[in-house]
Amino acid sequence: MVELNSEYHSLANTVFMQMQEGIIVLDEQLKIVKLNLWAQEVIGYKEQLLTGKDYSILFCNLTDYQRIIAHLFEHHRWTGEVAKKRFNGEVYIEFMNIRTIFDSTGKIKEYAVVFRDMTKQKNYENERQLAAKVLENISEGVIVTDKDGNILSVNPAFELVTGYVEEEVYGHNPRIFQSGIHGPQFYHEMWNSVLTKGKWQGEIWNKKKNGDVYPEWLTISSIKDDKGEITNFVAVFSDITDRKHTEEKLRQLAHYDSLTGVANRYTLNTHLESLIDTASKYNQQLAVLFLDLDRFKHINDTLGHNYGDQLLKEVSFRLKGLIKNKDLIARLGGDEFVIVLSNIKHPKEAVNVAEDIIQTLSTSSFILKHHEVYVSTSIGISLFPLDGHSLETLLRNADKAMYKAKSSGRNHYQLYHEEMHHDESKQMKMEVGLRKALEQKEFFLVYQPQIHLKTGKIIGIEALIRWKREGQEIISPEQFIPLAEETGLIIPISEWVIKQACEDAQQLHLLGHSNLSVSINISALHFNQENFVKSVEAILQQTNINPHLLDFELTESMIMPNASQTISKLVKLKKLGIKLSIDDFGTGYSSLSYLNRFPLDRLKIDKSFIENLNKYHDDSSIVEAIISIAHRLNLSVVAEGVENKKQLLFLKTENCDHIQGFYITKPLPLAELIRFLAEWEEDLLNWLC
């Protein structure tokens, strides 16, 4: 009998110590007598540290302990959740069951406490509630299915997008949403990816309850248990109809002129490059016709830009009817058009087209609402390979021929020929002077302040180059920059501008304008040099300027043609700390599609839009759209060319970030700029408003 009791006691002790719940034994004085291993692991105490200690030591709140013990003395038991603390001081929630143990005489022998750590359950419940709240509020639709693909639940966004309520789809397979656009192979590959890789993501067309077919961006993921078995599938999707429409609009903006619908400069460059390659490969000829409408400015000034725009549309329509499908018509901007005739057999074909264009435009009037107008055109023609082997050369020579036709009396065409170079003696003299200008220190910089519209603070300045030859008037950049680009002199000139602007900025910083940034216009030819970034690094080291206060202004035509190389170069500049802006936005490709691709900081709205803000509603709408889209892409906006109060107020209302222009001040030499900065007060902007 003694042996049996011993075995029973040993078994009971083993069970006590191995139970997967915490057990604490208290004596009749509520002193701790014993703990099993699970209890020790949960609370972090070893048994010897607690033996003989009052049970209250484990409670966070003495009031809780007293309340529980009072209930225990009256009812001999208590069950519930209570806050406890571990050996390391961590507080946790415990589900506790405490019972009174009596001996054979009915006297209290001890108390048994059985408990569970509720931390995981509480965390799970909190996470579940949080997940439910997230699903309830996110804009993406969510579908949860079982392992067989039967729908278990959907979120409110699903109901908004599809038109179905949860009760209508519960238990159904998501194939009820199929549009019929995708074939079996599409779905086979999709589910193969989900089952083998655990995930599929892509664009898919599905059908709403009302039968409408729409595109969505869908992500399907498999959910697995601890054994790696699939238990559920989760699909998260969003309706991308608006995005598809936007992409189409952006594609149109990227490749076609928004006013006339013909190709834009970007498409012209790309297409002409391809045609030149083909012509070279197969020994073909092609012609480039450069068109400029005669006295178009007079029509614009007399009737207004709206009528001018309507005329450009009508001209484009007539031109389209004169060229073949293999040929290309593009608008470069303003009233300039280019037509490319591919695989011509004889130059006479280009001449015939030019004559047809002149006759079509000049012999029949254009009706613009209630106004009847006549317009003629001057056309320059260059031929490949006779007049050049590159698109730049062909376009330039066709342009020169067009100016020759215009100077010969308009409404005429002119073939390019070498003798036209002799008409450039004036440019030759300017080129000679340009080559000596750096050496003779004839260049200088002026600066135009940029104002933060909300604070009224001057946050930056734009550096602008000027050329002053001894005994002559100041030569504007519009006169010498194109020549500098053409001759390659723009590279040393640009390096001088960057270095001088950095040195001047350092001087301003030392005078107390430590946060003033300086914007510098970057030449396309300079930017495209292989060592451009290295030359910039060298200037930064020489001048010791903080690169975060430099802002390089680039044009759309610089960065679009060779996007991959451009991105690499821009990323290197960003790593140096230099900010990047797009200058004259809206006058080049007018493409928003690249804004996310390139690491840009700001857009500068071209001054032509600002100039016409109070004249034409379309320009106002364009400015509003540019500001809105830029802000959504986290780009700040600078409006240049602000010349009056109305323009300033409009830009302020539309939440434009920064402005510059003659309404604030003309570009100033450094000494005058220093005085201007000293006199400027933030309240002056409110006064100007």
Side-chain angles (χ1 to χ4, degrees):
M1 186 67 179
V2 173
E3 184 178 344
L4 181 61
N5 287 339
S6 175
E7 291 178 359
Y8 177 80
H9 184 271
S10 176
L11 178 61
N13 188 61
T14 299
V15 171
F16 171 80
M17 295 303 293
Q18 299 300 321
M19 280 187 68
Q20 298 299 296
E21 288 187 316
I23 302 176
I24 300 176
V25 178
L26 309 175
D27 63 17
E28 67 275 13
Q29 300 298 321
L30 297 173
K31 304 291 185 183
I32 298 172
V33 176
K34 193 169 187 179
L35 299 82
N36 71 346
L37 295 175
W38 192 262
Q40 295 176 53
E41 183 175 339
V42 170
I43 64 178
Y45 285 91
K46 294 296 183 182
E47 186 178 58
Q48 56 268 32
L49 291 176
L50 287 178
T51 303
K53 296 289 195 323
D54 193 274
Y55 184 46
S56 62
I57 194 175
L58 299 179
F59 285 76
C60 289
N61 192 319
L62 187 59
T63 303
D64 287 344
Y65 172 75
Q66 292 170 344
R67 174 176 52 81
I68 292 171
I69 297 305
H71 189 280
L72 176 67
F73 287 165
E74 182 177 355
H75 301 284
H76 306 299
R77 60 188 299 171
W78 185 89
T79 302
E81 293 185 1
V82 64
K84 293 283 195 69
K85 59 183 177 182
R86 309 186 204 276
F87 178 71
N88 62 7
E90 179 187 347
V91 175
Y92 70 101
I93 301 299
E94 174 182 296
F95 183 82
M96 183 178 72
N97 187 329
I98 183 169
R99 295 286 187 274
T100 305
I101 308 298
F102 298 94
D103 61 16
S104 57
T105 65
K107 183 180 178 182
I108 295 175
K109 179 181 179 183
E110 56 193 6
Y111 299 94
V113 181
V114 180
F115 65 93
R116 296 195 306 272
D117 185 351
M118 300 294 291
T119 302
K120 288 184 179 180
Q121 291 90 327
K122 290 293 182 182
N123 289 342
Y124 171 78
E125 179 62 22
N126 291 337
E127 290 173 0
R128 189 193 68 78
Q129 292 177 359
L130 179 60
K133 186 61 69 176
V134 170
L135 287 176
E136 182 181 336
N137 289 282
I138 62 173
S139 59
E140 288 84 3
V142 179
I143 304 172
V144 179
T145 75
D146 60 21
K147 63 180 180 180
D148 298 318
N150 300 312
I151 296 175
L152 300 177
S153 66
V154 297
N155 71 335
F158 164 89
E159 298 181 352
L160 288 173
V161 173
T162 67
Y164 288 98
V165 296
E166 187 171 41
E167 291 76 10
E168 292 177 300
V169 299
Y170 180 81
H172 289 278
N173 190 285
R175 68 173 63 94
I176 65 174
F177 310 126
Q178 289 182 7
S179 63
I181 292 177
H182 308 289
Q185 184 63 25
F186 174 86
Y187 293 105
H188 174 75
E189 293 176 358
M190 179 179 76
W191 282 105
N192 183 59
S193 176
V194 175
L195 295 175
T196 57
K197 301 177 182 178
K199 185 177 182 180
W200 180 88
Q201 186 176 66
E203 185 179 308
I204 189 171
W205 288 79
N206 275 334
K207 185 168 61 177
K208 299 183 180 183
K209 182 180 178 181
N210 63 5
D212 289 348
V213 174
Y214 70 103
E216 65 180 35
W217 186 258
L218 174 66
T219 301
I220 303 176
S221 303
S222 60
I223 307 300
K224 298 181 180 180
D225 59 19
D226 295 339
K227 298 178 182 178
E229 300 291 332
I230 293 177
T231 60
N232 301 89
F233 295 101
V234 175
V236 180
F237 67 92
S238 56
D239 185 345
I240 58 172
T241 302
D242 291 341
R243 193 182 85 184
K244 298 289 283 186
H245 290 162
T246 301
E247 287 176 353
E248 178 59 25
K249 290 179 181 177
L250 291 175
R251 191 188 71 80
Q252 287 291 113
L253 284 171
H255 297 91
Y256 297 93
D257 177 56
S258 59
L259 177 64
T260 63
V262 301
N264 63 9
R265 186 187 296 268
Y266 173 69
T267 301
L268 170 66
N269 289 350
T270 304
H271 195 64
L272 184 52
E273 282 275 19
S274 176
L275 289 175
I276 290 172
D277 290 342
T278 302
S280 298
K281 185 176 181 181
Y282 296 103
N283 196 29
Q284 297 174 349
Q285 296 184 78
L286 61 84
V288 175
L289 281 64
F290 201 113
L291 287 69
D292 185 273
L293 300 183
D294 298 326
R295 301 181 73 245
F296 176 75
K297 185 176 184 300
H298 175 72
I299 296 173
N300 250 351
D301 293 344
T302 304
L303 300 180
H305 284 270
N306 290 337
Y307 287 93
D309 289 347
Q310 185 62 38
L311 176 60
L312 292 173
K313 292 178 184 179
E314 296 292 337
V315 168
S316 299
F317 181 77
R318 290 192 189 181
L319 293 176
K320 289 175 187 177
L322 295 174
I323 66 172
K324 301 174 183 178
N325 289 334
K326 67 182 181 69
D327 301 324
L328 175 72
I329 175 173
R331 179 181 175 226
L332 297 189
D335 60 335
E336 294 181 338
F337 293 85
V338 169
I339 292 176
V340 181
L341 306 177
S342 60
N343 193 21
I344 62 173
K345 305 304 180 185
H346 192 277
K348 185 64 177 175
E349 292 183 41
V351 171
N352 290 339
V353 171
E355 290 175 340
D356 289 343
I357 292 172
I358 290 170
Q359 182 179 9
T360 300
L361 295 184
S362 61
T363 59
S364 179
S365 64
F366 293 86
I367 306 301
L368 308 177
K369 294 184 180 179
H370 306 299
H371 298 275
E372 182 179 15
V373 300
Y374 286 85
V375 68
S376 61
T377 184
S378 299
I379 303 175
I381 305 172
S382 64
L383 302 168
F384 173 88
L386 181 64
D387 300 323
H389 291 79
S390 67
L391 73 90
E392 292 89 353
T393 303
L394 290 169
L395 287 171
R396 183 171 65 249
N397 289 342
D399 188 22
K400 289 178 181 178
M402 182 273 294
Y403 276 106
K404 183 66 175 177
K406 195 173 282 288
S407 64
S408 300
R410 298 187 176 92
N411 198 30
H412 181 61
Y413 70 86
Q414 180 73 51
L415 286 161
Y416 176 81
H417 52 82
E418 287 295 326
E419 292 180 7
M420 290 182 183
H421 285 302
H422 300 306
D423 298 329
E424 300 173 355
S425 58
K426 184 178 179 181
Q427 279 192 308
M428 292 286 288
K429 292 179 181 179
M430 182 177 286
E431 181 182 339
V432 172
L434 199 58
R435 292 184 181 277
K436 297 179 180 179
L438 268 179
E439 181 184 335
Q440 296 177 356
K441 297 182 179 180
E442 293 175 349
F443 292 122
F444 66 98
L445 295 182
V446 292
Y447 297 93
Q448 188 165 47
Q450 296 171 337
I451 311 297
H452 193 290
L453 266 178
K454 287 186 178 178
T455 64
K457 292 182 179 179
I458 298 176
I459 49 90
I461 52 175
E462 180 179 4
L464 302 165
I465 189 171
R466 298 291 185 265
W467 182 16
K468 178 70 169 69
R469 302 182 71 177
E470 187 176 355
Q472 297 185 20
E473 296 291 327
I474 293 176
I475 304 172
S476 71
E478 287 78 8
Q479 290 179 274
F480 68 84
I481 290 297
L483 182 60
E485 291 273 6
E486 186 177 339
T487 58
L489 291 171
I490 193 67
I491 296 173
I493 291 173
S494 294
E495 289 182 347
W496 176 85
V497 169
I498 296 173
K499 184 178 179 183
Q500 187 63 48
C502 289
E503 290 176 352
D504 289 350
Q506 278 290 66
Q507 185 176 343
L508 292 172
H509 296 161
L510 292 173
L511 290 172
H513 308 290
S514 56
N515 294 320
L516 196 68
S517 66
V518 59
S519 300
I520 304 171
N521 292 287
I522 301 300
S523 153
L525 191 63
H526 188 205
F527 180 80
N528 289 326
Q529 298 298 303
E530 286 188 11
N531 66 340
F532 173 73
V533 176
K534 287 186 178 179
S535 72
V536 171
E537 282 188 272
I539 292 172
L540 293 178
Q541 292 175 359
Q542 292 170 20
T543 59
N544 198 31
I545 192 173
N546 181 355
H548 294 285
L549 295 175
L550 283 184
D551 186 349
F552 281 1
E553 296 188 1
L554 317 165
T555 62
E556 297 172 80
S557 57
M558 288 171 55
I559 67 175
M560 287 294 286
N562 300 303
S564 58
Q565 297 177 15
T566 298
I567 291 173
S568 174
K569 198 167 287 187
L570 295 180
V571 168
K572 291 177 182 177
L573 292 173
K574 290 292 289 184
K575 286 182 178 179
L576 291 176
I578 297 170
K579 292 184 172 60
L580 303 172
S581 298
I582 291 296
D583 194 15
D584 299 336
F585 185 80
T587 60
Y589 300 100
S590 297
S591 170
L592 300 173
S593 60
Y594 64 84
L595 295 181
N596 267 337
R597 298 169 56 198
F598 299 142
L600 304 173
D601 299 286
R602 300 200 304 179
L603 291 185
K604 291 194 76 174
I605 304 174
D606 184 65
K607 60 184 178 182
S608 62
F609 293 110
I610 306 304
E611 177 185 353
N612 295 319
L613 275 180
N614 305 118
K615 299 178 183 178
Y616 308 112
H617 176 72
D618 287 348
D619 284 351
S620 299
S621 299
I622 290 171
V623 171
E624 291 173 13
I626 291 174
I627 293 172
S628 175
I629 293 173
H631 284 169
R632 290 193 179 189
L633 295 173
N634 295 318
L635 302 174
S636 61
V637 182
V638 183
E640 56 183 351
V642 177
E643 296 184 354
N644 57 56
K645 182 177 180 179
K646 287 184 178 180
Q647 294 169 352
L648 188 151
L649 289 174
F650 174 87
L651 294 166
K652 194 167 187 179
T653 302
E654 294 302 322
N655 292 319
C656 182
D657 301 292
H658 311 127
I659 62 165
Q660 67 181 87
F662 276 62
Y663 191 56
I664 303 300
T665 178
K666 65 179 183 180
L668 303 169
L670 183 62
E672 293 182 31
L673 174 68
I674 291 172
R675 288 196 294 271
F676 182 86
L677 292 174
E679 295 170 359
W680 179 263
E681 296 180 3
E682 298 167 17
D683 290 341
L684 286 174
L685 185 65
N686 294 327
W687 182 80
L688 290 172
C689 291

